[in-house]
Each structure stands twice: as structure tokens, then as C-alpha cells.
Amino acid sequence: MFKQPDQPSQNNWKKRLQPFFETIQMIVMALLLYFLIDSMVARVRVQKVSMDPTLVPGEVLLVNKLAYKFGGIEHGDIITFHYPIEPDLDYVKRVIGIPGDEVIVKEGTVCVNGQELFEPYISAPPEYEGQWDVPDNSLFVLGDNRNPSADSHVWGFVPQENVIGKVFAVYWPPNKIRGISSPDLFSYNP
């Protein structure tokens, strides 16, 4: 009896191609996951000393882009935003005044609506003075390193539409990994 040579069956081809299709599927899923996470979380590198000692140059931050889609901006939040004068630049600062607030900096203290802020995180008391009334849809922001910081006391208010999101963690370098929370600026504890 004559025997025909074995020909690869359709099942054999499927077995041979299965690792290829699984690899493609894994790559597609990884890309989808990356873009999903990227649409919700930004990564920002601290480049200047304006937020020292809270944040220092070289640290990389995680920013929740959805934080203000479901809640309001609060006093003490550390935010990233497009610099109002040059929108291609992104800045990191702390929210001190929200719409309707009166901010007064005098004799080394910051007061919002007549109440002195509790700010144990600043590097030194401000050496400048001024008064600002925060307009609608705007924020008054200051760096934690008050005196050398270019912030609202120098160039004015941040339009709320410029806000990218709320900083919630430092993830680089590994020895500096930590969460970032907003302090209660109005609970004065001398």
C-alpha cells in the first residue's frame, strides 16, 4: 500500500502561529493599558527650586489629571498647570487662593480671607508683601520656597483652564518615593 507523505494540517499551522498571535495580543493590550493610564496620570519632572523643601529638582511626580473633573480645587493642593505667560511651560505650585479669596502677604505671613495660614512646609517666610483678590475661574499659587519662587505674587493668577491636575506622588528617584497630600492650611498649631 502506498503512503502519502505527511502534510502539515491546519491544526499544526495554528499551533505554530499561536505564539505569534499571543505576542501581538499582549503588545496591543500593553499599548491600550499605557494609553489608558496616560490619559489619567501625567508624569512631571521638578526642574526648579521653587517648591523646595517639599519637592526638589530631579524628582518625578505623578499627577492625577482627573482629580478636578470630579472635585474642586482646594487650598493647599499642589498642582501642575500651563504657565499663563508661556503655555508651553508647565509649572508646579501650591494653591493658596481660590476664586473669591482675598490673599494678603504681610510681615512674613500669608492670610486668606483674614485667617493666617499654617504652613510648616515652607523653606522661609516670605520677604515680600502684597494683597490680591482672586477673580472667578482663577487661582493664586505660591511656591513653598517663597522668596526665589516665580509665582502668583510675581506674574498674577492661574486661569483654572490651565490646570493639568493634582500632584499625588513622587515616584522617582526610588529612594524618594512617597505620597503627596494636601495639608489643612487653616488649622493653626503654633
Side-chain angles (χ1 to χ4, degrees):
M1 183 181 264
F2 180 74
K3 187 176 177 187
Q4 287 188 335
D6 288 334
Q7 292 184 8
S9 69
Q10 196 172 19
N11 284 341
N12 284 343
W13 279 108
K14 282 183 181 179
K15 284 180 184 178
R16 289 181 185 172
L17 291 176
Q18 186 173 358
F20 173 75
F21 288 123
E22 286 177 3
T23 302
I24 296 297
Q25 181 181 11
M26 199 170 7
I27 290 170
V28 168
M29 292 300 290
L31 287 171
L32 286 173
L33 187 59
Y34 171 80
F35 287 114
L36 178 64
I37 291 171
D38 196 53
S39 70
M40 296 183 287
V41 178
R43 291 160 307 284
V44 175
R45 179 177 299 278
V46 177
Q47 301 201 12
K48 307 230 180 210
V49 297
S50 70
M51 286 299 292
D52 192 29
T54 306
L55 304 170
V56 297
E59 290 182 334
V60 181
L61 314 174
L62 293 177
V63 178
N64 181 350
K65 293 186 198 178
L66 301 178
Y68 302 123
K69 304 257 188 268
F70 304 107
I73 298 172
E74 296 181 9
H75 298 96
D77 286 356
I78 297 176
I79 62 169
T80 59
F81 57 91
H82 303 299
Y83 179 43
I85 296 171
E86 198 173 332
D88 290 341
L89 296 176
D90 294 339
Y91 276 26
V92 178
K93 304 288 181 199
R94 187 178 300 274
V95 175
I96 300 299
I98 59 176
D101 283 348
E102 176 189 56
V103 178
I104 297 174
V105 179
K106 188 175 182 182
E107 298 176 1
T109 63
V110 178
C111 295
V112 174
N113 302 325
Q115 188 170 359
E116 184 178 336
L117 299 185
F118 175 61
E119 299 185 292
Y121 49 78
I122 64 173
S123 61
E127 296 171 353
Y128 52 85
E129 295 190 349
Q131 179 177 342
W132 300 265
D133 293 318
V134 185
D136 289 341
N137 302 311
S138 296
L139 302 170
F140 185 85
V141 298
L142 294 175
D144 290 356
N145 192 1
R146 294 286 156 83
N147 297 307
S149 179
D151 50 34
S152 288
H153 91 276
V154 175
W155 41 256
F157 304 102
V158 176
Q160 285 184 335
E161 66 191 28
N162 287 29
V163 174
I164 297 166
K166 180 179 180 179
V167 174
F168 70 91
V170 173
Y171 85 96
W172 191 262
N175 64 332
K176 301 283 186 171
I177 292 173
R178 65 189 182 280
I180 302 292
S181 60
S182 300
D184 182 358
L185 301 182
F186 298 103
S187 64
Y188 186 69
N189 294 323

